[in-house]
Amino acid sequence: MLGQQACAEKSNEITAIPELLKLIDIEGTIVTIDAMGCQTDIADGIVERGADYVLAVKDNQPNLHTEIRETFEHAMQQATAGQPPTFLEHVERQQKRGRDEERHYYMLPR
């Protein structure tokens, strides 16, 4: 499902996202939001409504970005040191616009 909510004048997506989420039954779903929506209050609101989320994290959240990167690096170092991996890796390969693309997805348990 896709949703759209207009931003109030002199506002941005951070205030519009919670309003949009109130209009949609998200229980049991996975909500995806770009980096602008990577806010504690938004994530808490999603969980309170019985959903999970995937939020993009960029340098707009420098401490969180660093913590996530270090957590994944630690998990990968453990796996290369012979300990059982604590992450799931999925590799996707495809050809787009005349070039090969390879994407690696990593997921840590809750």
Side-chain angles (χ1 to χ4, degrees), residues 21-88:
L21 292 174
K22 290 177 187 174
L23 302 173
I24 302 171
D25 179 12
I26 62 171
E27 185 175 353
T29 66
I30 299 173
V31 177
T32 60
I33 304 175
D34 68 8
M36 176 67 85
C38 184
Q39 304 292 322
T40 303
D41 290 343
I42 292 173
D44 289 344
I46 292 169
V47 172
E48 287 170 6
R49 302 226 13 245
D52 290 308
Y53 56 82
V54 175
L55 303 178
V57 178
K58 294 183 178 178
D59 288 333
N60 66 323
Q61 297 281 345
N63 294 336
L64 179 60
H65 187 261
T66 298
E67 186 176 327
I68 290 170
R69 188 184 71 249
E70 289 173 353
T71 300
F72 275 96
E73 287 172 355
H74 178 70
M76 295 172 113
Q77 287 170 355
Q78 286 182 313
T80 57
Q83 297 176 6
T86 58
F87 62 90
L88 171 70

Coordinates of all heavy atoms in Angstrom, one line a residue, residues 21-88:
L21 N 0.3 7.8 9.1 CA 0.2 6.5 9.8 C -1.0 6.3 10.6 O -1.5 5.2 10.7 CB 1.5 6.2 10.6 CG 2.8 6.1 9.8 CD1 4.0 6.0 10.8 CD2 2.7 4.9 8.9
K22 N -1.6 7.4 11.1 CA -2.9 7.3 11.8 C -4.0 7.0 10.9 O -5.0 6.4 11.4 CB -3.2 8.7 12.5 CG -2.3 9.0 13.7 CD -2.6 10.3 14.3 CE -1.6 10.7 15.3 NZ -1.8 12.1 15.8
L23 N -3.9 7.3 9.6 CA -5.0 7.0 8.7 C -5.0 5.6 8.1 O -6.0 5.2 7.5 CB -4.9 8.0 7.5 CG -5.0 9.5 7.9 CD1 -4.7 10.4 6.7 CD2 -6.3 9.8 8.5
I24 N -3.9 4.9 8.3 CA -3.7 3.6 7.7 C -3.7 2.5 8.7 O -3.0 2.6 9.8 CB -2.4 3.6 6.9 CG1 -2.4 4.7 5.8 CG2 -2.2 2.2 6.2 CD1 -1.1 4.8 5.1
D25 N -4.3 1.4 8.5 CA -4.2 0.2 9.4 C -2.9 -0.5 9.1 O -2.8 -1.2 8.1 CB -5.4 -0.8 9.1 CG -5.3 -2.0 10.0 OD1 -4.5 -2.0 11.0 OD2 -6.1 -2.9 9.8
I26 N -1.9 -0.3 9.9 CA -0.6 -0.9 9.7 C -0.3 -2.1 10.5 O 0.8 -2.7 10.4 CB 0.5 0.2 9.9 CG1 0.5 0.7 11.4 CG2 0.4 1.3 8.9 CD1 1.7 1.6 11.7
E27 N -1.2 -2.5 11.4 CA -1.0 -3.7 12.3 C -0.6 -4.9 11.4 O -1.2 -5.2 10.4 CB -2.2 -4.0 13.1 CG -2.0 -5.1 14.1 CD -3.2 -5.3 15.0 OE1 -4.2 -4.6 14.9 OE2 -3.1 -6.3 15.8
G28 N 0.5 -5.5 11.9 CA 1.0 -6.7 11.2 C 1.7 -6.5 9.9 O 2.1 -7.4 9.2
T29 N 2.1 -5.3 9.6 CA 2.8 -4.9 8.4 C 4.2 -4.5 8.6 O 4.6 -4.4 9.8 CB 2.1 -3.8 7.6 OG1 2.2 -2.6 8.4 CG2 0.6 -4.1 7.4
I30 N 4.9 -4.3 7.6 CA 6.3 -3.7 7.7 C 6.2 -2.3 7.0 O 5.9 -2.3 5.8 CB 7.3 -4.6 7.0 CG1 7.4 -5.9 7.7 CG2 8.7 -3.9 7.0 CD1 8.3 -7.0 7.0
V31 N 6.5 -1.3 7.7 CA 6.5 0.1 7.2 C 7.9 0.5 6.7 O 8.8 0.3 7.5 CB 5.9 1.1 8.2 CG1 6.0 2.5 7.7 CG2 4.5 0.6 8.7
T32 N 8.0 1.0 5.5 CA 9.3 1.4 5.1 C 9.3 3.0 4.9 O 8.3 3.5 4.3 CB 9.8 0.8 3.7 OG1 8.8 1.1 2.7 CG2 9.9 -0.7 3.9
I33 N 10.3 3.6 5.3 CA 10.3 5.1 5.3 C 11.8 5.5 5.0 O 12.7 4.9 5.4 CB 9.9 5.7 6.6 CG1 8.5 5.3 7.0 CG2 9.9 7.3 6.5 CD1 8.0 5.8 8.4
D34 N 11.9 6.6 4.2 CA 13.3 7.1 3.8 C 13.9 7.7 5.0 O 13.4 7.8 6.1 CB 13.2 8.0 2.6 CG 12.5 9.3 2.9 OD1 12.2 9.6 4.1 OD2 12.3 10.1 2.0
A35 N 15.1 8.2 4.8 CA 16.0 8.7 6.0 C 15.3 9.9 6.7 O 15.5 10.0 7.9 CB 17.4 9.1 5.4
M36 N 14.5 10.7 6.0 CA 13.9 11.8 6.7 C 13.0 11.3 7.8 O 12.8 12.0 8.8 CB 13.1 12.6 5.7 CG 12.3 13.7 6.3 SD 13.3 15.1 7.0 CE 13.5 16.0 5.5
G37 N 12.4 10.1 7.6 CA 11.5 9.6 8.6 C 12.1 8.8 9.7 O 11.4 8.2 10.6
C38 N 13.4 8.7 9.7 CA 14.2 8.0 10.7 C 14.2 8.8 12.0 O 15.2 9.4 12.3 CB 15.6 7.6 10.2 SG 16.5 6.5 11.4
Q39 N 13.1 8.7 12.8 CA 13.0 9.5 14.0 C 12.4 8.5 15.1 O 11.6 7.7 14.8 CB 12.0 10.6 13.8 CG 12.3 11.6 12.7 CD 13.6 12.4 13.0 OE1 13.8 12.8 14.1 NE2 14.4 12.6 12.0
T40 N 12.9 8.7 16.3 CA 12.5 7.8 17.4 C 11.0 7.8 17.6 O 10.4 6.7 17.8 CB 13.2 8.3 18.7 OG1 14.6 8.2 18.5 CG2 12.9 7.3 19.9
D41 N 10.4 9.0 17.6 CA 8.9 9.1 17.8 C 8.2 8.3 16.7 O 7.2 7.7 17.0 CB 8.5 10.5 17.8 CG 8.9 11.2 19.1 OD1 9.3 10.5 20.1 OD2 8.9 12.5 19.1
I42 N 8.6 8.4 15.5 CA 8.0 7.7 14.4 C 8.1 6.2 14.5 O 7.2 5.4 14.4 CB 8.5 8.2 13.0 CG1 8.1 9.6 12.8 CG2 8.1 7.3 11.9 CD1 8.7 10.3 11.5
A43 N 9.3 5.7 14.8 CA 9.6 4.3 15.0 C 8.7 3.8 16.2 O 8.1 2.7 16.1 CB 11.0 4.0 15.3
D44 N 8.7 4.5 17.3 CA 7.9 4.1 18.5 C 6.4 4.0 18.1 O 5.7 3.1 18.5 CB 8.1 5.1 19.6 CG 9.4 5.0 20.3 OD1 10.2 4.0 20.1 OD2 9.8 6.0 21.0
G45 N 5.9 5.0 17.3 CA 4.5 5.0 16.9 C 4.2 3.8 16.1 O 3.1 3.2 16.2
I46 N 5.1 3.4 15.2 CA 4.9 2.2 14.4 C 4.8 1.0 15.2 O 3.8 0.1 15.0 CB 6.0 2.1 13.3 CG1 5.9 3.3 12.3 CG2 5.9 0.8 12.6 CD1 7.1 3.4 11.4
V47 N 5.7 0.8 16.1 CA 5.7 -0.4 17.0 C 4.4 -0.4 17.9 O 3.8 -1.5 18.0 CB 7.0 -0.4 17.9 CG1 6.9 -1.5 18.9 CG2 8.2 -0.6 17.0
E48 N 4.0 0.7 18.4 CA 2.8 0.8 19.3 C 1.6 0.4 18.5 O 0.6 -0.1 19.1 CB 2.7 2.2 19.8 CG 3.6 2.6 20.9 CD 3.6 4.1 21.2 OE1 2.7 4.8 20.7 OE2 4.5 4.6 22.0
R49 N 1.6 0.6 17.2 CA 0.4 0.2 16.4 C 0.5 -1.2 15.8 O -0.2 -1.6 15.0 CB 0.3 1.2 15.2 CG 0.1 2.6 15.8 CD -0.9 3.5 15.2 NE -1.9 3.0 14.4 CZ -2.1 3.3 13.1 NH1 -1.2 4.1 12.5 NH2 -3.1 2.8 12.4
G50 N 1.5 -2.0 16.3 CA 1.6 -3.4 16.0 C 2.3 -3.7 14.7 O 2.1 -4.8 14.1
A51 N 3.1 -2.8 14.2 CA 3.8 -3.1 13.0 C 5.3 -3.1 13.2 O 5.8 -2.7 14.3 CB 3.5 -2.0 11.9
D52 N 6.1 -3.5 12.2 CA 7.5 -3.4 12.2 C 7.9 -2.4 11.2 O 7.1 -1.9 10.4 CB 8.1 -4.8 11.8 CG 8.0 -5.8 12.9 OD1 8.3 -5.5 14.1 OD2 7.5 -6.9 12.6
Y53 N 9.2 -2.0 11.2 CA 9.6 -1.0 10.2 C 11.0 -1.3 9.7 O 11.8 -2.0 10.2 CB 9.6 0.4 10.9 CG 10.5 0.5 12.2 CD1 11.9 0.7 12.1 CD2 9.9 0.3 13.4 CE1 12.6 0.7 13.2 CE2 10.7 0.4 14.6 CZ 12.0 0.6 14.5 OH 12.8 0.6 15.6
V54 N 11.3 -0.7 8.5 CA 12.6 -0.6 7.9 C 12.8 0.9 7.6 O 12.0 1.5 6.8 CB 12.7 -1.4 6.6 CG1 14.0 -1.2 5.9 CG2 12.4 -2.9 6.8
L55 N 13.7 1.5 8.3 CA 14.0 2.9 8.1 C 15.4 3.1 7.6 O 16.3 2.5 8.0 CB 13.9 3.7 9.5 CG 12.6 3.5 10.2 CD1 12.6 4.3 11.6 CD2 11.4 4.1 9.4
A56 N 15.5 4.0 6.6 CA 16.8 4.3 6.0 C 17.5 5.2 7.0 O 17.0 6.1 7.6 CB 16.6 5.0 4.7
V57 N 18.8 4.9 7.2 CA 19.6 5.7 8.1 C 20.8 6.3 7.3 O 21.5 5.5 6.6 CB 20.2 4.9 9.2 CG1 21.1 5.7 10.1 CG2 19.1 4.3 10.0
K58 N 21.0 7.6 7.3 CA 22.1 8.2 6.6 C 22.7 9.1 7.7 O 22.5 9.0 8.9 CB 21.6 9.1 5.5 CG 21.0 8.2 4.3 CD 20.6 9.1 3.2 CE 20.0 8.3 2.0 NZ 19.6 9.2 1.0
D59 N 23.5 10.1 7.2 CA 24.2 10.9 8.1 C 23.3 12.0 8.8 O 23.8 12.8 9.6 CB 25.4 11.7 7.4 CG 26.5 10.7 7.1 OD1 26.7 9.7 7.8 OD2 27.2 10.9 6.1
N60 N 22.0 11.9 8.5 CA 21.1 12.8 9.2 C 21.0 12.3 10.7 O 20.5 13.1 11.5 CB 19.7 12.8 8.6 CG 19.0 11.5 8.6 OD1 19.6 10.4 8.5 ND2 17.7 11.5 8.8
Q61 N 21.4 11.1 11.0 CA 21.4 10.6 12.3 C 22.8 10.0 12.6 O 23.1 8.8 12.6 CB 20.4 9.4 12.5 CG 19.0 9.8 12.3 CD 18.4 10.5 13.5 OE1 19.0 10.4 14.6 NE2 17.3 11.1 13.3
P62 N 23.8 10.9 12.7 CA 25.2 10.5 12.8 C 25.6 9.5 13.9 O 26.3 8.5 13.6 CB 26.0 11.8 13.0 CG 25.1 12.8 13.4 CD 23.7 12.4 13.0
N63 N 25.0 9.6 15.1 CA 25.3 8.7 16.1 C 24.7 7.3 15.8 O 25.4 6.3 16.0 CB 24.8 9.2 17.5 CG 25.6 10.4 17.9 OD1 26.7 10.6 17.5 ND2 24.9 11.2 18.8
L64 N 23.5 7.3 15.4 CA 22.8 6.0 15.0 C 23.5 5.4 13.9 O 23.7 4.2 13.9 CB 21.3 6.3 14.7 CG 20.5 5.1 14.3 CD1 20.5 4.0 15.4 CD2 19.1 5.5 13.9
H65 N 23.9 6.2 12.8 CA 24.6 5.6 11.7 C 25.9 4.9 12.1 O 26.2 3.8 11.6 CB 24.8 6.8 10.7 CG 25.4 6.3 9.4 ND1 26.7 6.4 9.1 CD2 24.8 5.8 8.3 CE1 26.9 5.9 7.9 NE2 25.8 5.6 7.4
T66 N 26.6 5.6 12.9 CA 27.9 5.0 13.4 C 27.6 3.7 14.2 O 28.3 2.7 14.0 CB 28.7 6.0 14.3 OG1 29.0 7.2 13.5 CG2 29.9 5.5 14.9
E67 N 26.6 3.8 15.1 CA 26.3 2.6 15.9 C 25.9 1.4 15.1 O 26.3 0.3 15.3 CB 25.2 3.0 16.9 CG 25.0 1.9 17.9 CD 23.9 2.3 19.0 OE1 23.9 3.5 19.3 OE2 23.2 1.4 19.4
I68 N 25.1 1.6 14.1 CA 24.7 0.5 13.2 C 25.8 0.0 12.4 O 26.0 -1.2 12.3 CB 23.6 1.0 12.2 CG1 22.3 1.3 13.0 CG2 23.3 0.0 11.1 CD1 21.2 2.0 12.2
R69 N 26.6 0.9 11.9 CA 27.8 0.4 11.1 C 28.7 -0.4 12.0 O 29.2 -1.5 11.6 CB 28.6 1.6 10.5 CG 29.7 1.2 9.6 CD 30.5 2.4 9.0 NE 31.3 2.9 10.1 CZ 31.2 4.1 10.6 NH1 30.2 4.9 10.2 NH2 32.0 4.5 11.6
E70 N 29.0 0.0 13.2 CA 29.9 -0.7 14.1 C 29.3 -2.0 14.5 O 30.0 -3.0 14.7 CB 30.2 0.2 15.3 CG 31.2 1.3 15.0 CD 31.4 2.3 16.1 OE1 30.7 2.2 17.2 OE2 32.2 3.2 16.0
T71 N 28.0 -2.1 14.7 CA 27.3 -3.3 15.1 C 27.5 -4.4 14.0 O 27.8 -5.5 14.2 CB 25.8 -3.1 15.4 OG1 25.7 -2.2 16.5 CG2 25.1 -4.4 15.7
F72 N 27.3 -4.0 12.7 CA 27.4 -4.9 11.6 C 28.9 -5.3 11.5 O 29.2 -6.5 11.2 CB 26.9 -4.3 10.3 CG 25.4 -4.5 10.1 CD1 24.5 -3.5 10.5 CD2 24.9 -5.7 9.6 CE1 23.2 -3.7 10.4 CE2 23.6 -5.9 9.4 CZ 22.7 -4.9 9.8
E73 N 29.8 -4.4 11.6 CA 31.2 -4.7 11.5 C 31.6 -5.7 12.6 O 32.4 -6.6 12.3 CB 32.1 -3.4 11.6 CG 32.0 -2.5 10.4 CD 32.7 -1.2 10.6 OE1 33.2 -0.9 11.7 OE2 32.8 -0.4 9.6
H74 N 31.2 -5.5 13.8 CA 31.5 -6.5 14.9 C 30.9 -7.9 14.5 O 31.6 -8.9 14.7 CB 30.9 -6.0 16.2 CG 31.1 -6.9 17.3 ND1 32.4 -7.1 17.9 CD2 30.3 -7.7 18.0 CE1 32.3 -8.0 18.9 NE2 31.0 -8.3 19.0
A75 N 29.7 -7.9 14.1 CA 29.1 -9.2 13.7 C 29.9 -9.9 12.6 O 30.1 -11.1 12.6 CB 27.6 -9.0 13.3
M76 N 30.3 -9.1 11.6 CA 31.1 -9.7 10.5 C 32.5 -10.2 11.0 O 33.0 -11.2 10.5 CB 31.2 -8.8 9.4 CG 29.8 -8.5 8.8 SD 29.8 -7.2 7.6 CE 29.4 -8.1 6.1
Q77 N 33.1 -9.4 11.9 CA 34.4 -9.8 12.4 C 34.3 -11.1 13.2 O 35.2 -12.0 13.1 CB 35.0 -8.7 13.3 CG 35.5 -7.5 12.5 CD 35.8 -6.3 13.4 OE1 35.6 -6.4 14.7 NE2 36.3 -5.3 12.9
Q78 N 33.2 -11.3 14.0 CA 33.0 -12.5 14.7 C 32.9 -13.7 13.7 O 33.5 -14.8 14.0 CB 31.8 -12.4 15.6 CG 31.9 -11.6 16.8 CD 30.7 -11.6 17.6 OE1 29.6 -11.4 17.1 NE2 30.9 -11.8 18.9
A79 N 32.1 -13.5 12.7 CA 31.9 -14.6 11.7 C 33.2 -15.0 11.0 O 33.5 -16.2 10.8 CB 30.9 -14.2 10.7
T80 N 34.1 -14.0 10.7 CA 35.4 -14.3 10.0 C 36.4 -14.9 11.0 O 37.3 -15.5 10.6 CB 36.0 -13.1 9.3 OG1 36.1 -12.0 10.3 CG2 35.1 -12.6 8.2
A81 N 36.1 -14.7 12.3 CA 37.0 -15.3 13.3 C 36.6 -16.8 13.7 O 37.1 -17.3 14.7 CB 37.0 -14.5 14.6
G82 N 35.7 -17.3 12.9 CA 35.3 -18.7 13.1 C 34.1 -18.9 14.0 O 33.6 -20.0 14.3
Q83 N 33.5 -17.8 14.6 CA 32.3 -17.9 15.4 C 31.1 -18.0 14.5 O 31.1 -17.4 13.4 CB 32.2 -16.7 16.3 CG 33.3 -16.7 17.3 CD 33.2 -15.4 18.2 OE1 32.3 -14.7 18.2 NE2 34.3 -15.2 19.0
P84 N 30.0 -18.6 14.9 CA 28.8 -18.7 14.1 C 28.3 -17.3 13.7 O 28.3 -16.4 14.6 CB 27.8 -19.4 14.9 CG 28.6 -20.1 16.0 CD 29.8 -19.3 16.2
P85 N 27.9 -17.0 12.5 CA 27.5 -15.7 12.1 C 26.2 -15.3 12.9 O 25.3 -16.2 13.1 CB 27.2 -15.7 10.6 CG 27.2 -17.2 10.3 CD 27.9 -17.9 11.4
T86 N 26.1 -14.1 13.3 CA 24.8 -13.6 13.9 C 24.0 -12.7 13.0 O 23.1 -12.0 13.4 CB 25.2 -12.7 15.2 OG1 26.0 -11.6 14.7 CG2 25.9 -13.6 16.2
F87 N 24.3 -12.8 11.7 CA 23.6 -12.0 10.7 C 23.2 -12.9 9.5 O 23.8 -14.0 9.3 CB 24.4 -10.9 10.2 CG 25.7 -11.3 9.5 CD1 25.8 -11.5 8.1 CD2 26.9 -11.5 10.2 CE1 26.9 -11.9 7.5 CE2 28.1 -11.8 9.6 CZ 28.1 -12.0 8.3
L88 N 22.3 -12.5 8.7 CA 21.9 -13.1 7.5 C 22.3 -12.3 6.3 O 22.2 -11.1 6.3 CB 20.3 -13.3 7.5 CG 19.7 -13.8 6.2 CD1 20.1 -15.2 6.0 CD2 18.2 -13.6 6.2

